[in-house]
Amino acid sequence: MQLRDGLVVIELNPVFAPETVKQFKRLAGERFYDGLSFYRVIDGFVAQGGDGSDLGELSNVPLIDAEFEINWDEEFEYIRVQSPDMFAAETGFTDGFAVARDPSTDKAWLAHCPGIVAMARNDDADSSRTDFYIVIGQAPRHLDRNMNVFGRVVYGMDVVQRIQRGPALDNGIIDDDMASTRISKLRLAADIPEDELLKAYVLDTSSKGFKKQLKKRRNRTQKFFKNKPAKVLDVCQVPIAGRITK
Amino acid sequence: MQLRDGLVVIELNPVFAPETVKQFKRLAGERFYDGLSFYRVIDGFVAQGGDGSDLGELSNVPLIDAEFEINWDEEFEYIRVQSPDMFAAETGFTDGFAVARDPSTDKAWLAHCPGIVAMARNDDADSSRTDFYIVIGQAPRHLDRNMNVFGRVVYGMDVVQRIQRGPALDNGIIDDDMASTRISKLRLAADIPEDELLKAYVLDTSSKGFKKQLKKRRNRTQKFFKNKPAKVLDVCQVPIAGRITK
């Protein structure tokens, strides 16, 4: 996704949100998002973009059913981070994505950490359509299991943080369309010519190195820490580095 | 604090960090920070600014002793948010600031939420001096009770989010001084001429309205929520609105 201030690279997650990813890919393939704006942007919360016409009520794009959680599959790559977490029985990482789990129901869902990408909707659970948001502030975990989370920013969160904010008192709505940050273009990697394609490197959350890193973050032994922190980890405060090369 | 992209207003907290506030005010009064840069900026973590000469080892500015926590005073305005919190026995708000408490020791400290301002230091607890950081990402609560937290951004976090980031792999250090975001000027309200003075409105966290808001956030009854969130609140995810007028 190209914004005025730079490139934002999003990794999609068809395992947790197959129909949402399918629709998003179709829309991106049709260049639906090109030229549209982030029209609802609340600092410390979310940047929401798309056509903005009240979530596309006048649109002929089909609605997407709720994809709030999935059944846990023992085959998933998984590393546990915290149990219990404040908002869920358990959190961890699956293929680079922060997830939460409820072992009692065997359900799992993508956690609303900074950088996650999800579909906006109305009150109806099955009313996601075209408009999406990126979390730009402290994890709004109360939205977990209530939204179709379908991706995460793996590169360019600094660019996302430059998206023009709207007035907090007005629910972040930017009335002046000229003031809002526009999506110059949004392309699928599959549609980019080979010679323009960038390589994205993401952290392997199933690696031994990552396991060690989690352990180190949970148990801070450095002499810098005069008061040893509680031996807990917020799954949304674990940096999941990504980088891009030609 | 004036940055290229706009104004940032910081509220100091002399109750929790009296010596730090005293030194910061003296330095600001001497225009120490004017022209200095945010030289260590890690997206999702902190923007650190100041002279950058290894935290002023060559400086003749005195060091500040640790002001990591204070004894709780029953006279404080206080509203509880969460007990237990993942990182502390209890969290709440005191005069607009997110605080954490340990009732067993009667200690309290300012929580590392987005927007808090704290002094950087070396391994020595008493080595704060001039350079400060602003939290710009998911609350790094492991730093609680380890830093001299002395203020919070009450206006202009969107401007703070535009501060130029450094490379994550290089601990956020921006080598090219020309690339970094500079502090145009940093002034104390007391030093600003009456006719240029702005009025800052901050949320009254001791008000009935705020109490109601907390209750509403803890217990989400709106039909939007198909899966009712856990009835918990992250003290760092409560919006503490501020605004500025002439």
Side-chain angles (χ1 to χ4, degrees):
Chain A
M1 176 170 68
Q2 187 71 47
L3 305 184
R4 193 191 54 187
D5 283 312
L7 184 70
V8 178
V9 180
I10 294 167
E11 180 183 1
L12 302 175
N13 193 320
V15 174
F16 278 76
E19 293 306 317
T20 309
V21 166
K22 207 179 286 178
Q23 177 130 320
F24 185 77
K25 286 174 79 168
R26 188 172 60 241
L27 290 167
E30 292 168 359
R31 310 200 165 183
F32 173 87
Y33 294 106
D34 292 13
L36 297 181
S37 288
F38 285 92
Y39 60 86
R40 177 184 174 241
V41 188
I42 302 174
D43 185 70
F45 187 40
V46 297
Q48 183 169 319
D51 76 354
S53 58
D54 203 13
L55 301 184
E57 276 178 7
L58 302 172
S59 161
N60 55 6
V61 178
L63 295 170
I64 314 167
D65 282 350
E67 295 187 307
F68 297 166
E69 54 188 10
I70 62 170
N71 291 313
W72 186 253
D73 183 336
E74 290 303 331
E75 297 293 299
F76 287 161
E77 293 270 34
Y78 179 69
I79 182 164
R80 183 159 69 184
V81 168
Q82 185 62 39
S83 169
D85 169 83
M86 199 158 85
F87 297 88
E90 190 175 318
T91 58
F93 283 96
T94 297
D95 289 326
F97 280 80
V99 296
R101 289 174 68 184
D102 182 350
S104 77
T105 60
D106 238 17
K107 296 286 183 191
W109 55 93
L110 297 177
H112 267 79
C113 295
I116 68 98
V117 187
M119 279 288 170
R121 65 169 172 85
N122 295 321
D123 277 347
D124 186 348
D126 305 319
S127 65
S128 294
R129 186 173 249 151
T130 58
D131 292 9
F132 65 93
Y133 60 88
I134 304 174
V135 170
I136 57 172
Q138 184 75 5
R141 297 283 304 280
H142 56 284
L143 294 174
D144 281 9
R145 299 173 70 214
N146 279 291
M147 311 305 293
N148 293 7
V149 183
F150 68 98
R152 68 182 184 106
V153 173
V154 293
Y155 179 82
M157 266 312 282
D158 56 333
V159 174
V160 171
Q161 289 293 3
R162 289 175 168 266
I163 293 173
Q164 176 66 45
R165 269 56 167 174
L169 294 173
D170 209 7
N171 200 20
I173 298 292
I174 303 172
D175 272 335
D176 176 5
D177 193 45
M178 295 304 289
S180 62
T181 300
R182 215 167 276 279
I183 298 169
S184 309
K185 57 182 182 178
L186 196 156
R187 293 282 177 279
L188 299 171
D191 294 341
I192 296 173
E194 187 84 30
D195 60 323
E196 289 174 31
L197 212 50
L198 301 169
K199 254 187 198 151
Y201 292 85
V202 296
L203 192 68
D204 178 1
T205 53
S206 71
S207 67
K208 272 187 191 170
F210 186 64
K211 199 171 179 175
K212 251 188 217 167
Q213 193 193 314
L214 286 183
K215 206 174 159 184
K216 232 175 124 181
R217 289 179 82 85
R218 186 176 291 110
N219 188 13
R220 311 252 179 188
T221 55
Q222 303 96 312
K223 66 176 180 171
F224 184 86
F225 290 93
K226 305 307 172 189
N227 284 302
K228 291 294 165 205
K231 288 185 182 175
V232 293
L233 267 185
D234 172 3
V235 72
C236 294
Q237 213 271 319
V238 177
I240 304 296
R243 63 191 175 88
I244 296 292
T245 63
K246 186 67 194 163
Chain B
M1 177 170 68
Q2 188 69 48
L3 306 184
R4 193 191 53 189
D5 284 312
L7 184 70
V8 178
V9 180
I10 295 167
E11 180 183 1
L12 301 175
N13 194 320
V15 175
F16 278 76
E19 294 306 318
T20 309
V21 165
K22 207 178 286 176
Q23 177 130 321
F24 185 76
K25 285 174 79 167
R26 188 171 61 242
L27 290 167
E30 292 168 0
R31 310 199 165 185
F32 173 87
Y33 294 107
D34 291 13
L36 297 182
S37 289
F38 285 92
Y39 60 86
R40 178 185 173 239
V41 188
I42 302 174
D43 186 69
F45 186 39
V46 297
Q48 183 170 319
D51 76 353
S53 58
D54 203 11
L55 301 183
E57 278 178 4
L58 301 173
S59 160
N60 56 5
V61 179
L63 295 169
I64 314 167
D65 282 350
E67 295 186 307
F68 297 166
E69 54 188 9
I70 62 170
N71 291 314
W72 187 253
D73 183 335
E74 290 302 330
E75 298 293 300
F76 289 159
E77 294 269 35
Y78 180 68
I79 183 165
R80 183 158 68 185
V81 168
Q82 185 63 39
S83 169
D85 169 83
M86 198 158 85
F87 297 88
E90 190 175 316
T91 58
F93 283 96
T94 297
D95 289 326
F97 281 79
V99 297
R101 290 175 66 185
D102 182 349
S104 76
T105 61
D106 237 17
K107 296 287 182 190
W109 55 94
L110 297 177
H112 266 80
C113 295
I116 68 98
V117 188
M119 280 286 171
R121 65 168 173 85
N122 295 320
D123 276 348
D124 187 347
D126 304 320
S127 64
S128 293
R129 185 173 252 151
T130 57
D131 293 9
F132 65 92
Y133 61 87
I134 305 173
V135 170
I136 56 172
Q138 184 75 6
R141 298 282 305 280
H142 57 283
L143 294 175
D144 281 9
R145 299 173 70 215
N146 278 291
M147 311 304 293
N148 293 8
V149 183
F150 68 99
R152 68 181 184 105
V153 173
V154 293
Y155 179 82
M157 266 311 283
D158 56 332
V159 174
V160 172
Q161 289 293 2
R162 287 174 168 267
I163 293 173
Q164 177 65 44
R165 269 56 167 173
L169 293 173
D170 209 8
N171 200 22
I173 299 292
I174 303 173
D175 273 333
D176 177 5
D177 194 44
M178 295 304 289
S180 63
T181 299
R182 215 167 277 278
I183 298 169
S184 309
K185 57 182 181 179
L186 195 155
R187 293 282 176 280
L188 299 171
D191 294 341
I192 295 172
E194 188 87 27
D195 61 323
E196 289 174 31
L197 211 51
L198 302 170
K199 254 189 196 149
Y201 292 85
V202 296
L203 192 68
D204 178 0
T205 52
S206 71
S207 67
K208 273 188 189 168
F210 186 64
K211 199 171 180 175
K212 250 189 217 167
Q213 194 192 316
L214 287 182
K215 205 172 159 185
K216 233 176 122 182
R217 290 180 82 82
R218 187 177 290 111
N219 189 11
R220 313 253 178 187
T221 55
Q222 304 96 312
K223 65 177 181 171
F224 183 86
F225 291 93
K226 304 309 171 186
N227 284 302
K228 291 294 165 206
K231 288 184 184 174
V232 293
L233 267 185
D234 172 3
V235 72
C236 294
Q237 213 272 319
V238 177
I240 305 296
R243 64 193 175 87
I244 296 292
T245 62
K246 187 66 195 163

